[in-house]
Amino acid sequence: MADAPDTTPAPSRRGAYEKGVRRRREILDRAIEVFADRGAEGTSLRAIGEAIGVSHAALKHYFSSREELLVEVYRAAEERSIDEDPAPETSSVVGLMTHAARRNHGVPGLVQLYSTLVAAALEAGHDDARTFFSARFDGLRRLLADRVRDEQAAGRIRADISAEAAAALVIAASDGLQTQWLLDPAVDIEKSLDLLESLLERPAE
């Protein structure tokens, strides 16, 4: 059998690739700061470039469309926020979402961006948003369902409910409450999520 061909990039190609990755990351970092303040309302790809000090041609080089850029901005912002402020490992299933909602309070523009992209994902012709959020919700439901099963085994959550249904309900409650909060900052997200957690608790014997 012949040896597999060497696919390692030549040093010059590797250097160009690494430079491109760094440049793309710099653009995303700048865009995160812009969207953290004002969300995605009324921003064309050209306007985004002007706001972050990057030419329209440079943006088009790294992102094929406005939607792809917005999705990548949200993805990078979420990864950064989780790295900087992870939820405690002992968090309950509702506690995980409460922590995320509390963290989001400081960046309402990114909550707005999230809502804008989720709405776009429901419409035809928005493949980038649909692909990203379909995978994101699937992964989050799996993560939370596993946490529900762990809490059921520990006797903290009632055993007569579906872990998958509970996971979907927790996500829906968190997302819906944050949308209400965007419209009315007086909405108490944590109080409502605490109520949901109490409803999921195993009744005292």
Side-chain angles (χ1 to χ4, degrees):
M1 181 180 294
D3 291 338
D6 185 1
T7 57
T8 303
S12 60
R13 289 183 60 196
R14 184 187 299 118
Y17 173 77
E18 292 173 352
K19 182 179 179 180
V21 170
R22 287 196 303 271
R23 180 57 173 159
R24 192 174 189 273
R25 170 54 66 178
E26 289 170 1
I27 291 172
L28 288 175
D29 286 343
R30 293 182 193 176
I32 288 171
E33 303 307 321
V34 170
F35 290 119
D37 289 333
R38 69 186 197 190
E41 184 178 356
T43 50
S44 65
L45 199 60
R46 190 178 299 279
I48 294 169
E50 292 174 357
I52 64 177
V54 176
S55 71
H56 182 251
L59 281 184
K60 290 291 288 182
H61 176 72
Y62 292 104
F63 305 96
S64 61
S65 66
R66 173 181 181 273
E67 183 170 288
E68 181 188 357
L69 171 61
L70 297 185
V71 167
E72 292 306 316
V73 165
Y74 183 78
R75 188 201 308 272
E78 184 173 51
E79 290 174 353
R80 177 198 286 185
S81 66
I82 292 173
D83 288 342
E84 293 177 350
D85 185 17
E89 293 185 3
T90 55
S91 296
S92 66
V93 62
V94 176
L96 288 174
M97 302 307 287
T98 301
H99 184 87
R102 186 184 303 125
R103 192 170 55 207
N104 291 341
H105 274 202
V107 283
L110 290 175
V111 180
Q112 181 189 357
L113 174 59
Y114 174 90
S115 300
T116 299
L117 288 171
V118 170
L122 300 176
E123 300 176 359
H126 293 272
D127 293 342
D128 288 326
R130 178 179 289 272
T131 298
F132 173 71
F133 281 103
S134 293
R136 182 183 183 279
F137 281 127
D138 180 65
L140 188 54
R141 283 193 301 269
R142 291 172 185 270
L143 172 69
L144 296 185
D146 286 343
R147 186 64 60 98
V148 170
R149 280 187 281 270
D150 289 343
E151 292 191 69
Q152 286 175 321
R156 291 189 291 271
I157 287 183
R158 50 192 297 177
D160 61 337
I161 60 174
S162 160
E164 288 73 17
L169 177 61
V170 171
I171 295 169
S174 178
D175 279 13
L177 287 166
Q178 290 185 75
T179 299
Q180 293 180 58
W181 171 75
L182 282 176
L183 296 170
D184 180 3
V187 171
D188 193 330
I189 296 175
E190 292 191 32
K191 184 176 181 180
S192 294
L193 289 176
D194 286 345
L195 172 60
L196 175 59
E197 184 160 46
S198 70
L199 295 174
L200 294 175
E201 288 178 355
R202 179 179 177 179
E205 296 180 359

